[in-house]
Amino acid sequence: MASLNKVMLIGKLGKDPEIRYAASGTAFANFSIATDDRRKGANGEWIDTTEWHNIVIAGKLAEIAGKHLAKGAQIYVEGKLQTRKWQDKDGRDRYSTEVFAEKMVMLGGKRAEVAPDG
């Protein structure tokens, strides 16, 4: 049976990207984006909800994100969901699910599409 792990989001950055480098020299950018949803409730009033998504980008794309993205910027990201396991300060196992972005498009104003290969 085939499977598919694909995520496509358009949202606004909740904070400036945080850039860090692995021992290998590979850049990683971490940031969150917000997506909004609006629906009518049972009483006919509009209900607005916001969902926050943690985004991770690696390599040249991470460096571009760090240079050109800032809080409030609207972007399109495309990638896959990844869950990683880590331990908190008390040694308890914790899990974080993130979108590992393989492509991004900066929206609003001058548009630029960026993929890892340039």
Side-chain angles (χ1 to χ4, degrees), residues 16 24 42 64 70-71 77 82 91 95-96 99:
D16 292 348
S24 65
I64 292 168
K71 179 180 178 178
V77 293
Q82 285 189 191
Y95 297 87
S96 296
V99 175

Side-chain angles (χ1 to χ4, degrees), residues 3-9 53 76-82 98-104 113 115-116:
S3 65
L4 176 66
N5 182 352
K6 185 112 177 143
V7 176
M8 296 180 285
L9 299 168
H53 312 274
Y76 164 84
V77 293
E78 185 175 312
K80 59 186 175 183
L81 284 180
Q82 285 189 191
E98 302 161 322
V99 175
F100 192 86
E102 299 162 339
K103 178 180 178 181
M104 81 175 177
E113 181 174 328

